[in-house]
Amino acid sequence: MCGIVGYIGDNSASPILIDGLKKLEYRGYDSAGIAVYGDDGVKICKTKGRIADLEGKLENEGKLEGCVGIGHTRWATHGAPDDINAHPHKGGNGRITLVHNGIIENYIELKIMLEQKGYVFVSQTDTEVLAHLFDFFYDGDSLKAMSKVMKMVRGSYATAVLIEDKPDEIIAARKDSPLIVGIGDNENFLASDIPAVLKYTRDCYLLDDNQIALLKKDSIKLYDIDLNEVHKDVYHVTWDVEAAEKGGYDHFMKKEIAEQPKTVRDTLSPRIKDGKVVIDELSLTDEQIKNIGTVHIVACGSAWHVGMAARYVIEKLAKTPCEVDLASEFRYRNPIVRPNDICIVISQSGETADTLAALREAKSKGARTISIVNVVASTIARESDDVIYTMAGPEIAVATTKAFSAQLNVAYLLAIRFAKAKGLIGENYEKTLCEEMLELPELIEKLLEMDDDLKALAKKYVNSEHVFFIGRGLDYAISLEGSLKLKEISYIHSEAYAAGELKHGTISLIEPGTPVFAVATQSDLLEKTLGNIKEVKARGAKVIALVGEKHSSVDEFADDVIRVPEISNILMPSLTVIPLQIFAYYMALGRGCDVDKPRNLAKSVTVE
Ligand code: F6R
């Protein structure tokens, strides 16, 4: 969701900005632009469409020469994705040039105020307000202007500003939207995310909310909103740039699906020692775990599906009541959270605005917060009491796959840890579960070998208009994920239903030939799900059954059967999700969709 880059140094800024924007493409965008400080002041080139369109425009209209610049990919919120609304925006007769990620909530009142002062708006964006407001406060002191702007706006922002009479600086700030400063040698960088600067530096400052960065080519100074200087630790990036590249695969999604054995292994192996779960990052004592009232799990999208699965597993093993909330609902429903409750926050990016707000809500009500996060040092990670990192490495495809798998496994670990603290599972059962979890990477490898079969299956159903998913218990959680994966990347309408719920309305949508995925891996619920399979079959559905390899009872009612290796019921989701991801991938490919960057979607959803 919107990407920001900035460069100040001795090299030509344009290629560095374009290169950085390409690294942020995964965040999702519909227009792009750059501004470069050259001999004639700050010049802008921007366009709707992809970065390739921006490159084409630069080619046609002339490159922007200069060694200082900012760039932006915009994911439209206020105003259509067109050339005018694309960033950068100018403020105050061109004195200010600014890019922004986030939403200015009080932009209408600020716009009226600025119009009364004579400022003329050309775009429909909330961002233009920031540009004019900055100009309004600017009297030669950029820090003072930025501080005043920050105190006046409500909402979320990461912003970077070029000023006509300050050719040797970029000033930037953040609140509720990520922004990092890359530390170079006689050159410095700015970006929404680390991959954009990794080619040039591994050392960064990760800005916190309400902080300002003043970049010159040979210095970086950080301030709080009251302009007190702030000294931060340098964050050294240890992962490689290749981790964020396709490595021979056609798509990031395919690469990330294939990386799941490694991801699961890397997530589990440091936390399973001699048949025991050891989560060093968890500061809760056994006594505190015993006293947990309710576990509140909050997340969005696929991470919420992990939460749905986690609830089944935590309640089954640890017998601790769990509530799973969509973060966007939790934050506004005034949830009842008691001081001995805990809140588990699940997020790949660690920057999702709703999830972050839900975390803050739970914290403000006295709950201890544990986050399951992939992006190291992201805001959610930094604000949680404990953070358990999923070891998925950078996930670039917009549709999550490997981070989902890693999150699931952290949920299993937590459930086992809680059950053990409460004396509800013995050493032997813990050991069995740990051994089985350590087998998961190998079993996932086996499932990846089904690639050709799943490709053929997708070919058979590629022209479907609707696809339904049904399942019970943990199978329902995975049905939700299978359905989301399919619809978000292939644009086929899809719904997931708890198998027993379908007949309460939605079954009226089942027509002869409608594909219904029946996820039926939970042995204790198999017979019940079989009943639901028969119900849809009787109405002409094409049933694709996803079952454990030893089960054959659904075969006679299924048009297609996908078999997954058998493992304890509670671990099954780690396996069942894999064929559903691969199926969705081939369906999207078969329909000519942009698999890695589905329309309208963003990787990191930093607005609510
Ligand atoms: C779907 C997907 C999204 C994310 C959701 C939360 O494939 O990726 O539904 O799961 O936007 O994002 P994070 O996990 O970054 O908080």
Side-chain angles (χ1 to χ4, degrees), residues 461 470 514 516-518 526-527 529-547 551-561 563:
Y461 292 105
I470 56 171
T514 307
V516 176
F517 265 86
L526 199 61
E527 275 187 20
T529 309
L530 188 56
N532 305 125
I533 292 175
K534 290 179 191 167
E535 286 162 9
V536 293
K537 192 68 202 159
R539 281 143 187 102
K542 292 269 180 221
V543 174
I544 306 142
L546 195 59
V547 292
H551 291 293
S552 54
S553 53
V554 298
D555 287 16
E556 64 176 296
F557 306 101
D559 296 84
D560 294 281
V561 181
R563 292 192 196 285

Side-chain angles (χ1 to χ4, degrees), residues 301-302 305 400 404 476-486 577:
S302 293
H305 301 155
T400 182
F404 178 91
Y476 172 47
I478 290 306
S479 297
L480 288 165
E481 178 60 7
S483 171
L484 179 62
K485 219 71 314 163
L486 179 68
V577 74

Side-chain angles (χ1 to χ4, degrees), residues 300-303 347-349 352 355 398-400 407 484-485 488 605:
C300 301
S302 293
S347 175
Q348 186 284 130
S349 61
T352 303
T355 312
V398 166
T400 182
Q407 290 162 353
L484 179 62
K485 219 71 314 163
E488 68 181 332
V605 184

Side-chain angles (χ1 to χ4, degrees), residues 325-607:
D325 269 82
L326 292 164
S328 54
E329 289 294 307
F330 184 85
R331 62 183 295 190
Y332 292 122
R333 80 169 165 85
N334 201 9
I336 297 168
V337 181
R338 300 186 180 86
N340 64 339
D341 290 355
I342 64 159
C343 179
I344 300 181
V345 177
I346 309 173
S347 175
Q348 186 284 130
S349 61
E351 299 293 348
T352 303
D354 284 319
T355 312
L356 176 60
L359 165 91
R360 289 175 179 165
E361 172 74 13
K363 260 183 122 167
S364 74
K365 293 192 160 159
R368 235 195 125 63
T369 52
I370 301 167
S371 63
I372 302 174
V373 171
N374 194 41
V375 177
V376 176
S378 53
T379 311
I380 290 175
R382 281 182 278 158
E383 292 196 14
S384 309
D385 294 313
D386 293 334
V387 50
I388 306 174
Y389 283 116
T390 48
M391 309 305 235
E395 191 180 60
I396 307 295
V398 166
T400 182
T401 52
K402 61 175 179 169
F404 178 91
S405 284
Q407 290 162 353
L408 263 183
N409 279 280
V410 173
Y412 303 151
L413 292 171
L414 278 173
I416 297 171
R417 174 73 186 87
F418 289 177
K420 203 166 64 171
K422 293 174 83 174
L424 293 171
I425 58 170
E427 270 185 23
N428 286 344
Y429 188 36
E430 180 181 10
K431 189 159 180 261
T432 307
L433 284 174
C434 286
E435 282 168 1
E436 283 198 302
M437 279 196 282
L438 292 176
E439 276 174 36
L440 284 171
E442 214 172 299
L443 299 178
I444 296 173
E445 292 282 6
K446 265 177 106 177
L447 286 163
L448 295 175
E449 288 166 14
M450 290 169 52
D451 196 81
D452 283 345
D453 299 338
L454 292 161
K455 192 176 182 177
L457 190 71
K459 204 167 170 197
K460 188 166 161 188
Y461 292 105
V462 73
N463 293 320
S464 306
E465 271 182 55
H466 313 275
V467 178
F468 290 83
F469 288 73
I470 56 171
R472 287 172 182 260
L474 282 165
D475 288 335
Y476 172 47
I478 290 306
S479 297
L480 288 165
E481 178 60 7
S483 171
L484 179 62
K485 219 71 314 163
L486 179 68
K487 72 185 129 194
E488 68 181 332
I489 61 170
S490 74
Y491 316 145
I492 295 173
H493 166 243
S494 174
E495 291 183 38
Y497 266 82
E501 180 63 16
L502 198 72
K503 58 183 160 302
H504 295 286
T506 310
I507 200 163
S508 65
L509 296 176
I510 305 291
E511 295 176 344
T514 307
V516 176
F517 265 86
V519 186
T521 68
Q522 299 295 300
S523 47
D524 49 337
L525 296 166
L526 199 61
E527 275 187 20
K528 301 287 170 204
T529 309
L530 188 56
N532 305 125
I533 292 175
K534 290 179 191 167
E535 286 162 9
V536 293
K537 192 68 202 159
R539 281 143 187 102
K542 292 269 180 221
V543 174
I544 306 142
L546 195 59
V547 292
E549 61 193 358
K550 290 194 193 124
H551 291 293
S552 54
S553 53
V554 298
D555 287 16
E556 64 176 296
F557 306 101
D559 296 84
D560 294 281
V561 181
I562 304 170
R563 292 192 196 285
V564 293
E566 299 279 358
I567 201 161
S568 285
N569 275 346
I570 55 167
L571 304 181
M572 267 307 201
S574 280
L575 302 180
T576 38
V577 74
I578 308 292
L580 296 181
Q581 295 168 344
I582 301 173
F583 177 77
Y585 171 78
Y586 281 117
M587 289 289 270
L589 215 58
R591 293 167 76 99
C593 301
D594 188 345
V595 177
D596 283 339
K597 296 187 281 291
R599 68 182 179 211
N600 304 338
L601 295 185
K603 182 71 182 162
S604 182
V605 184
T606 48
V607 297

Side-chain angles (χ1 to χ4, degrees), residues 180-184 188 194 197 201-208 211 220 222 230-238 376-377 382:
I180 63 123
V181 178
I183 309 164
N188 291 307
I194 290 167
V197 302
T201 178
R202 291 184 162 275
D203 290 334
C204 303
Y205 292 120
L206 309 176
L207 290 194
D208 285 321
Q211 287 185 340
I220 298 165
L222 307 177
V230 173
H231 297 280
K232 288 183 83 75
D233 290 340
V234 172
Y235 174 70
H236 184 72
V237 184
T238 49
V376 176
R382 281 182 278 158

